[in-house]
Amino acid sequence: MARRGAGTPLLLRLSLLLLLRPGGEWGTLGCASVAVGSPVVPLGSPITASCTIRSKLCRGLEQGKVRITWMLDNEPMAGSQRRGPGGTEVSNLTLPRFNRTQAKLWCWLEWNGTKQRVGMAEIRAGYPPAKPFNLSCVLNLSDYGLTCRWERGADSHLPTSVTLKCAGDCQAHPSCCRRSRAPAVTGCTPQGDSSHCTVPRRLLQLYRQMEIWVSATNALGTAESEHLRIDPMDVAKLDPPTLQSIQSIPFQTDCITLAWEVARSNAHMELQCELRYRANGDPAWALVPNIAGQAGTAQHCGFLFGTRYHFQMRCRRSSAQGYWSEWSPGRNYTTHEKAPSGKLDAWWSVHSAGAGGRLEVQLCWKAPRRQEANGKVLGYRVTLVPRRRGRDPPTICNTTRTQCNFSVPAGTRRVYLSAYNAAGESAPTEVILLERRGQPLARLWAVPGGERSLWVHWEVPVAPVVAYVLEWQRVSSEPGHCSACWQMERDGATTASLIQDGIEPFQRYNISVYPLYKDAIGVPIHTAAYSKQKAPSYAPKLHLKSISKTDAELCWDPVPVEMQNGFITSYTIFWANSTAEVSSAAVNPSLSSFVIQDLKPSTLYKVHIMASTAAGGTNGTSLTLVTMVLDDIEIQFLFLTLGLIFVLLILLLICFQKNGRVKKQFWPNVPDPANSSLGKWVPPFLQEYLQVPGMKEPGLATISTVTVLERATWGKEPPAPEPATSFPAVPQPYLQQEGLGRPGCGWAAAGPHQGHGGSGETVQYARVVGEGYKGQQLIPPRLHLHSGPGQALLPQPGPRPYHNLCFHWATPQGCPGDGGCPEEPPATFPLLQGLRISGAEELQDCRAF
């Protein structure tokens, strides 16, 4: 049952698709129909449509509910549905604006969840046809077919048929149609989308008026062009004539005679012809109208002598303003020459040749104009006197160029210039060699006259001027022939002149103007100008001239004049640091360096320059620079200070090395007992004593210090009695040796020797130091010597020979040795009680009493 329930909708769907397919049984029986108000409507107008479903004619739909929907192409549209008479379902659709040129409107039927297209109507929209215009027709005499051309109007977006129609006298010519209610005879129909066609000769009425027009028709209307009423022969285009010969008239040398022949197809017609000609190099043609074609010959005057001309001719029917034939093939002819006429414009400069008494003259002149040359100029001649009949003066210059350099005697004021051709020589032009000492112009300026011309203006001086000479030259260009660099204005009242020779855009020209007076040449004044300006071709390259902590000086080479393309109005310097802080400064174009100030120390900057003219600017390449940490003065001061300190240190070292007094203040001299004479001296008595093998020492005894102690003498005040135990009656000299256990300090002393009367005598003590002074390596002393008052230091055996006496600051009982240290040093050395021991501060291990 489940499978049967699931398969039922599928069967219904298939049966509906089969029954409602287009062209199926329902469509044939009229089950569904779609109707529209009009299949072609104006673009943007509303449309209406209806779809009707006849359920009685559609088997299987009698009991089901039907829903009708619309689709315009692929876009759904909402319509209204209602039940119509006879059990029909009707859906109406209204579109307020139909903005498509072509679309398909579909009617869909939905029943039991299944949709099917049941009807369609195609709708087109557009405009009525546009009116054709510019209708023209030409009759071709080769086949006498009338070819007409026209221009279509705007596209109507609808299929449009175009027809060229003609009408004539139907009674005399039944084959031609005239415009009436009856259908007009179609003259011709253009092929495809072309806008021309040809009416055959059989449909034309020659030598009679016909009416011709173009008709365009589509579903929305018909449009017709303007009607032409013409005789087909009036629009016939004839074949061109042929020029036979051209000759000069002998007695009227500026006139010529032409002969021609008309085409055979035009021989029976009355023709009107035209002649045109121009000289080589002329852009415009000269036209000679109203020449009778049947005459075959014509004359015309006003031609230049010795000039090559190009001639052409054409014709048309004289009775109608129809079409001209094409121009005939050209024919060239050169008129005969005669001697040049007119005066030559000349300009000169004079320089003294030195001690020879002659003048060097540079003479320039303009070639004669074509109407004055009267042919090809073969050369120019300069003489000192004018030429007369039957007498040729000596020639100082004969050239084919327009300048000449020659020398003349001093005092020459005039020369004569003439031009000659194959027919003769012109009258001489007098050239007066005036001095350049006249009054200059009041003011001079120049403005562009075009891309290749300049207008030069000036203010006239007070004195009357005969003529003006203008000189110009491109800056930094090689000077060419002077004929291309100057021109003369013979009107002394003029205040402007147009110069065109050699003027190019984006190039600078220096212009000078000389006023010519009756007896002198004025001093020139100068100006510079451009015919057209633009931005410079490139900007100058920056160079770093110097840099400091806050400033940077830049320099550059000026842009060459040929690359400036205009007057440099300014240079602009731009600089920016790493934080994109951009600054700029404008520089006068006459300068070539600039100092950037107020920069940050030890900072990277990017700098570039822009060169500007009135027409724009050009940027140069970027320059990267880094400011310094210190200025030059600070660096110099730092180096100066370091150098001064270094010099002072050198001087101090030299002083310490050379000056003993200074040296002793830091490093005092310490006597070396090992190298003293006293330390090396040994008396003979001791030498024998030291011969004993047990008494031999590794080295001699070294005396480090000898101290002389004087006891106070008994003078005016007798000395106080001394205890008997203080000083023995006979002091015993003795010798003491350093112990082996510790390299300590040893003392050798001799008690005072008491003379007669109890007077004190000098007692000598020798002190032996065992350790080196401040780390010096010395031979350790082995003996302590003692001497009496009247003898040298002699070794005598003491009470305890080779006994070490050691006095220690911290531990007086701690000295090693065989006999130890005496507990009461003053008892052994009574005089030590009142002695001032020299050098006691240097003894670190001994104690002085």
Side-chain angles (χ1 to χ4, degrees), residues 47 69-78 93 95 97-100 102-108 121-123:
I47 62 172
T69 58
W70 296 90
M71 293 282 287
L72 184 62
D73 287 337
N74 295 324
E75 183 181 356
M77 296 290 171
L93 175 66
L95 298 179
R97 291 181 61 87
F98 187 74
N99 294 323
R100 306 184 187 187
Q102 185 176 0
K104 292 182 178 181
L105 183 63
W106 296 91
C107 177
W108 289 74
E122 187 173 359
I123 305 175

Short mmCIF file of all heavy atoms in Angstrom, two decimals, residues 47 69-78 93 95 97-100 102-108 121-123:
data_model
loop_
_atom_site.label_atom_id
_atom_site.label_comp_id
_atom_site.label_asym_id
_atom_site.label_seq_id
_atom_site.Cartn_x
_atom_site.Cartn_y
_atom_site.Cartn_z
N ILE A 47 1.58 46.52 -21.58
CA ILE A 47 1.04 45.39 -22.32
C ILE A 47 0.10 44.63 -21.40
O ILE A 47 0.25 44.65 -20.16
CB ILE A 47 2.14 44.46 -22.86
CG1 ILE A 47 2.94 43.86 -21.71
CG2 ILE A 47 3.04 45.17 -23.84
CD1 ILE A 47 3.90 42.78 -22.14
N THR A 69 0.29 30.49 -13.42
CA THR A 69 1.37 31.47 -13.14
C THR A 69 1.94 31.94 -14.46
O THR A 69 1.72 31.34 -15.51
CB THR A 69 2.48 30.86 -12.28
OG1 THR A 69 3.03 29.72 -12.96
CG2 THR A 69 1.94 30.43 -10.92
N TRP A 70 2.75 33.05 -14.41
CA TRP A 70 3.35 33.69 -15.59
C TRP A 70 4.87 33.77 -15.43
O TRP A 70 5.41 33.93 -14.34
CB TRP A 70 2.80 35.11 -15.79
CG TRP A 70 1.34 35.15 -16.09
CD1 TRP A 70 0.30 35.24 -15.21
CD2 TRP A 70 0.76 35.10 -17.40
NE1 TRP A 70 -0.89 35.25 -15.85
CE2 TRP A 70 -0.65 35.18 -17.22
CE3 TRP A 70 1.25 34.99 -18.69
CZ2 TRP A 70 -1.54 35.15 -18.28
CZ3 TRP A 70 0.37 34.99 -19.74
CH2 TRP A 70 -1.00 35.06 -19.55
N MET A 71 5.58 33.72 -16.58
CA MET A 71 7.03 33.92 -16.62
C MET A 71 7.36 34.77 -17.84
O MET A 71 6.98 34.42 -18.97
CB MET A 71 7.79 32.60 -16.72
CG MET A 71 7.68 31.71 -15.48
SD MET A 71 8.75 32.25 -14.14
CE MET A 71 10.34 31.76 -14.78
N LEU A 72 8.04 35.92 -17.64
CA LEU A 72 8.53 36.75 -18.74
C LEU A 72 10.01 36.40 -18.94
O LEU A 72 10.86 36.79 -18.13
CB LEU A 72 8.36 38.23 -18.43
CG LEU A 72 8.75 39.20 -19.54
CD1 LEU A 72 7.86 38.98 -20.77
CD2 LEU A 72 8.65 40.65 -19.07
N ASP A 73 10.28 35.62 -20.00
CA ASP A 73 11.58 34.96 -20.15
C ASP A 73 11.81 34.10 -18.92
O ASP A 73 11.11 33.12 -18.73
CB ASP A 73 12.70 35.98 -20.38
CG ASP A 73 12.62 36.59 -21.79
OD1 ASP A 73 12.02 35.94 -22.67
OD2 ASP A 73 13.16 37.70 -22.00
N ASN A 74 12.73 34.42 -18.05
CA ASN A 74 12.99 33.63 -16.83
C ASN A 74 12.57 34.36 -15.56
O ASN A 74 12.94 33.95 -14.46
CB ASN A 74 14.48 33.28 -16.74
CG ASN A 74 14.91 32.36 -17.86
OD1 ASN A 74 14.14 31.49 -18.28
ND2 ASN A 74 16.13 32.56 -18.35
N GLU A 75 11.83 35.43 -15.71
CA GLU A 75 11.42 36.24 -14.56
C GLU A 75 9.95 35.99 -14.25
O GLU A 75 9.09 36.18 -15.13
CB GLU A 75 11.66 37.72 -14.86
CG GLU A 75 11.33 38.63 -13.69
CD GLU A 75 11.56 40.08 -14.04
OE1 GLU A 75 12.04 40.36 -15.17
OE2 GLU A 75 11.27 40.95 -13.19
N PRO A 76 9.61 35.53 -13.04
CA PRO A 76 8.20 35.29 -12.71
C PRO A 76 7.41 36.59 -12.62
O PRO A 76 7.95 37.62 -12.17
CB PRO A 76 8.27 34.58 -11.35
CG PRO A 76 9.59 34.99 -10.76
CD PRO A 76 10.52 35.20 -11.90
N MET A 77 6.17 36.54 -13.04
CA MET A 77 5.28 37.69 -13.01
C MET A 77 3.99 37.29 -12.27
O MET A 77 3.54 36.14 -12.34
CB MET A 77 4.93 38.15 -14.43
CG MET A 77 6.13 38.65 -15.21
SD MET A 77 6.70 40.21 -14.53
CE MET A 77 8.25 40.41 -15.44
N ALA A 78 3.44 38.25 -11.56
CA ALA A 78 2.22 37.98 -10.78
C ALA A 78 1.00 38.43 -11.58
O ALA A 78 0.93 39.57 -12.04
CB ALA A 78 2.28 38.73 -9.44
N LEU A 93 -2.76 39.29 -16.93
CA LEU A 93 -1.47 39.91 -16.56
C LEU A 93 -1.37 41.26 -17.22
O LEU A 93 -1.65 41.40 -18.43
CB LEU A 93 -0.28 39.02 -17.01
CG LEU A 93 1.13 39.60 -16.79
CD1 LEU A 93 1.43 39.74 -15.31
CD2 LEU A 93 2.18 38.73 -17.49
N LEU A 95 1.47 44.52 -17.57
CA LEU A 95 2.80 45.10 -17.31
C LEU A 95 2.73 46.58 -17.62
O LEU A 95 2.44 46.97 -18.76
CB LEU A 95 3.87 44.43 -18.18
CG LEU A 95 4.06 42.93 -17.96
CD1 LEU A 95 5.12 42.40 -18.92
CD2 LEU A 95 4.46 42.65 -16.51
N ARG A 97 5.08 48.94 -17.90
CA ARG A 97 6.11 49.43 -18.83
C ARG A 97 6.90 48.24 -19.36
O ARG A 97 7.51 47.50 -18.57
CB ARG A 97 7.08 50.41 -18.16
CG ARG A 97 6.45 51.74 -17.80
CD ARG A 97 7.49 52.67 -17.15
NE ARG A 97 8.59 52.95 -18.05
CZ ARG A 97 8.60 53.93 -18.95
NH1 ARG A 97 7.54 54.71 -19.07
NH2 ARG A 97 9.64 54.11 -19.75
N PHE A 98 6.89 48.08 -20.65
CA PHE A 98 7.65 47.00 -21.27
C PHE A 98 8.92 47.61 -21.86
O PHE A 98 8.89 48.28 -22.90
CB PHE A 98 6.81 46.33 -22.37
CG PHE A 98 7.44 45.11 -22.94
CD1 PHE A 98 7.47 43.91 -22.21
CD2 PHE A 98 8.03 45.13 -24.20
CE1 PHE A 98 8.05 42.78 -22.75
CE2 PHE A 98 8.62 44.00 -24.74
CZ PHE A 98 8.63 42.81 -24.01
N ASN A 99 10.06 47.39 -21.19
CA ASN A 99 11.32 48.03 -21.54
C ASN A 99 12.30 47.08 -22.24
O ASN A 99 13.50 47.37 -22.29
CB ASN A 99 12.00 48.60 -20.28
CG ASN A 99 11.21 49.75 -19.69
OD1 ASN A 99 10.63 50.56 -20.42
ND2 ASN A 99 11.16 49.82 -18.37
N ARG A 100 11.80 45.97 -22.74
CA ARG A 100 12.65 45.05 -23.48
C ARG A 100 12.29 45.10 -24.95
O ARG A 100 11.12 45.23 -25.32
CB ARG A 100 12.48 43.62 -22.96
CG ARG A 100 12.71 43.51 -21.45
CD ARG A 100 12.63 42.08 -21.00
NE ARG A 100 12.67 41.97 -19.54
CZ ARG A 100 12.76 40.82 -18.87
NH1 ARG A 100 12.79 39.68 -19.55
NH2 ARG A 100 12.80 40.81 -17.56
N GLN A 102 12.68 42.61 -27.02
CA GLN A 102 12.10 41.32 -27.41
C GLN A 102 12.06 40.42 -26.19
O GLN A 102 13.02 40.36 -25.43
CB GLN A 102 12.91 40.67 -28.53
CG GLN A 102 12.31 39.38 -29.08
CD GLN A 102 13.12 38.84 -30.25
OE1 GLN A 102 14.12 39.43 -30.64
NE2 GLN A 102 12.66 37.72 -30.81
N ALA A 103 10.92 39.72 -25.97
CA ALA A 103 10.79 38.81 -24.84
C ALA A 103 9.71 37.78 -25.15
O ALA A 103 8.84 37.99 -26.02
CB ALA A 103 10.46 39.57 -23.56
N LYS A 104 9.76 36.65 -24.39
CA LYS A 104 8.76 35.59 -24.50
C LYS A 104 7.98 35.53 -23.20
O LYS A 104 8.56 35.44 -22.12
CB LYS A 104 9.41 34.24 -24.79
CG LYS A 104 10.04 34.16 -26.18
CD LYS A 104 10.63 32.78 -26.43
CE LYS A 104 11.21 32.69 -27.83
NZ LYS A 104 11.78 31.35 -28.11
N LEU A 105 6.62 35.54 -23.33
CA LEU A 105 5.72 35.49 -22.18
C LEU A 105 5.11 34.09 -22.11
O LEU A 105 4.43 33.66 -23.05
CB LEU A 105 4.63 36.56 -22.30
CG LEU A 105 3.66 36.68 -21.14
CD1 LEU A 105 4.39 37.10 -19.87
CD2 LEU A 105 2.55 37.69 -21.47
N TRP A 106 5.37 33.37 -20.97
CA TRP A 106 4.93 31.98 -20.82
C TRP A 106 3.80 31.91 -19.79
O TRP A 106 3.81 32.60 -18.77
CB TRP A 106 6.08 31.09 -20.32
CG TRP A 106 7.23 30.98 -21.29
CD1 TRP A 106 8.32 31.76 -21.35
CD2 TRP A 106 7.33 30.02 -22.33
NE1 TRP A 106 9.13 31.35 -22.37
CE2 TRP A 106 8.55 30.26 -23.00
CE3 TRP A 106 6.52 28.95 -22.77
CZ2 TRP A 106 8.98 29.51 -24.06
CZ3 TRP A 106 6.98 28.20 -23.83
CH2 TRP A 106 8.19 28.48 -24.48
N CYS A 107 2.85 31.01 -20.10
CA CYS A 107 1.78 30.68 -19.16
C CYS A 107 2.05 29.29 -18.61
O CYS A 107 2.23 28.33 -19.37
CB CYS A 107 0.41 30.74 -19.86
SG CYS A 107 -0.98 30.25 -18.79
N TRP A 108 2.07 29.16 -17.26
CA TRP A 108 2.37 27.90 -16.58
C TRP A 108 1.12 27.41 -15.85
O TRP A 108 0.38 28.20 -15.27
CB TRP A 108 3.50 28.08 -15.55
CG TRP A 108 4.86 28.32 -16.19
CD1 TRP A 108 5.29 29.44 -16.79
CD2 TRP A 108 5.93 27.38 -16.23
NE1 TRP A 108 6.56 29.30 -17.25
CE2 TRP A 108 7.00 28.01 -16.91
CE3 TRP A 108 6.10 26.06 -15.79
CZ2 TRP A 108 8.20 27.39 -17.13
CZ3 TRP A 108 7.31 25.45 -16.01
CH2 TRP A 108 8.36 26.11 -16.68
N ALA A 121 3.57 33.57 -25.79
CA ALA A 121 3.36 34.65 -26.76
C ALA A 121 4.66 35.46 -26.82
O ALA A 121 5.24 35.80 -25.79
CB ALA A 121 2.20 35.53 -26.34
N GLU A 122 5.15 35.75 -28.04
CA GLU A 122 6.37 36.54 -28.22
C GLU A 122 6.02 38.00 -28.43
O GLU A 122 5.13 38.31 -29.27
CB GLU A 122 7.17 36.01 -29.39
CG GLU A 122 8.53 36.68 -29.54
CD GLU A 122 9.39 36.02 -30.60
OE1 GLU A 122 8.91 35.02 -31.20
OE2 GLU A 122 10.51 36.48 -30.83
N ILE A 123 6.69 38.86 -27.70
CA ILE A 123 6.40 40.30 -27.74
C ILE A 123 7.66 41.03 -28.17
O ILE A 123 8.76 40.76 -27.65
CB ILE A 123 5.92 40.81 -26.36
CG1 ILE A 123 4.71 40.00 -25.88
CG2 ILE A 123 5.60 42.29 -26.42
CD1 ILE A 123 4.28 40.35 -24.48
#
